[in-house]
């Protein structure tokens, strides 16, 4: 589902009608409609390392995570207002030797989210656990991304600030 990846066959779209649609690139037809959300879906993120996992969220404050078989594999709850942005940790940010830890977890298992509740959160997708809540913004968080080195979450907000959060503390708790 990564439009930039070779062999990409599908695209995702989010909508005010509470749905996420999976579109076939060549035919232009909708292959599947996901109707789990109860309000406007505002953001999507696809795991760039393999395109096999994606997440959606929006006004209902729930982040749903799906796999490439169209199965819901996670439900992340904790934000207290609209979720505006999602970003997966990219596996390429870590040396191959560090991609698996003593528990056989991979770094692809993590997602960041930004919300109008003024928080940025770091999630472990496989357990639906919130690993950290970052609260420096004074207004809505509009965007999040993971720095390519995998050590920082960068966010921007309506408080006209860009914040950089060091997530090494969160990593040391989980690895």
């Amino acid at each position: 589902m990564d439009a930039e990846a070779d062999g990409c066959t599908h695209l995702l779209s989010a909508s005010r009608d509470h749905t996420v649609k999976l579109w076939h690139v060549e035919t232009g037809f909708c292959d599947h409609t996901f109707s789990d959300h109860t309000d406007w879906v505002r953001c999507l993120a696809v795991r760039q390392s393999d395109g096999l996992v994606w997440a959606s969220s929006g006004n209902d404050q729930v982040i749903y995570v799906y796999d490439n078989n169209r199965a819901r594999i996670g439900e992340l709850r904790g934000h207290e207002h609209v979720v505006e942005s999602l970003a997966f940790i990219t596996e390429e940010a870590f040396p191959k030797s560090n991609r698996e830890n003593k528990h056989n977890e991979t770094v692809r298992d993590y997602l960041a989210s930004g919300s109008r509740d003024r928080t940025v959160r770091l999630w472990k997708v496989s357990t639906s656990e919130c690993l950290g809540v970052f609260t420096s913004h004074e207004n809505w968080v509009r965007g999040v991304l993971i720095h390519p080195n995998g050590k920082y979450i960068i966010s921007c907000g309506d408080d006209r600030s860009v914040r950089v959060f060091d997530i090494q503390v969160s990593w040391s708790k989980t690895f």
Side-chain angles (χ1 to χ4, degrees), residues 34-93:
F34 299 86
S35 301
D36 293 321
H37 288 283
T38 60
D39 206 336
W40 183 350
V41 183
R42 292 182 171 269
C43 54
L44 297 167
V46 177
R47 190 170 70 191
Q48 296 299 311
S49 59
D50 59 12
L52 300 178
V53 174
W54 61 275
S56 63
S57 194
N59 286 19
D60 63 7
Q61 307 164 22
V62 180
I63 302 166
Y64 291 111
V65 184
Y66 303 86
D67 66 14
N68 66 326
N69 294 319
R70 303 177 185 166
R72 189 169 72 199
I73 60 171
E75 191 173 307
L76 313 177
R77 294 180 179 268
H79 281 294
E80 297 173 1
H81 207 311
V82 173
V83 178
E84 291 277 354
S85 184
L86 300 169
F88 279 95
I89 303 279
T90 58
E91 185 173 280
E92 290 77 18

Side-chain angles (χ1 to χ4, degrees), residues 141-158:
V141 178
R142 292 295 192 158
V144 293
L145 62 85
I146 309 299
H147 188 276
N149 70 12
K151 295 180 182 179
Y152 307 101
I153 297 173
I154 302 167
S155 62
C156 62
D158 276 0

Side-chain angles (χ1 to χ4, degrees), residues 2-138:
D2 178 3
E4 297 176 8
D6 290 337
C8 173
T9 60
H10 290 87
L11 293 174
L12 291 167
S13 66
S15 178
R16 287 184 184 194
D17 70 2
H18 312 179
T19 66
V20 174
K21 293 189 182 290
L22 180 67
W23 300 91
H24 192 274
V25 173
E26 289 184 20
T27 66
F29 289 106
C30 178
D31 278 354
H32 191 78
T33 300
F34 299 86
S35 301
D36 293 321
H37 288 283
T38 60
D39 206 336
W40 183 350
V41 183
R42 292 182 171 269
C43 54
L44 297 167
V46 177
R47 190 170 70 191
Q48 296 299 311
S49 59
D50 59 12
L52 300 178
V53 174
W54 61 275
S56 63
S57 194
N59 286 19
D60 63 7
Q61 307 164 22
V62 180
I63 302 166
Y64 291 111
V65 184
Y66 303 86
D67 66 14
N68 66 326
N69 294 319
R70 303 177 185 166
R72 189 169 72 199
I73 60 171
E75 191 173 307
L76 313 177
R77 294 180 179 268
H79 281 294
E80 297 173 1
H81 207 311
V82 173
V83 178
E84 291 277 354
S85 184
L86 300 169
F88 279 95
I89 303 279
T90 58
E91 185 173 280
E92 290 77 18
F94 297 85
K96 206 168 215 167
S97 61
N98 292 340
R99 289 187 185 167
E100 290 194 19
N101 62 31
K102 61 187 174 193
H103 304 294
N104 286 332
E105 298 164 334
T106 65
V107 297
R108 294 182 293 183
D109 192 29
Y110 299 92
L111 178 75
S113 60
S115 171
R116 290 185 186 178
D117 65 9
R118 303 176 184 181
T119 67
V120 172
R121 292 176 184 258
L122 178 65
W123 304 90
K124 184 172 181 181
V125 174
S126 63
T127 62
S128 299
E129 178 184 6
C130 181
L131 301 175
V133 180
F134 304 94
T135 58
S136 295
H137 281 284
E138 296 173 7

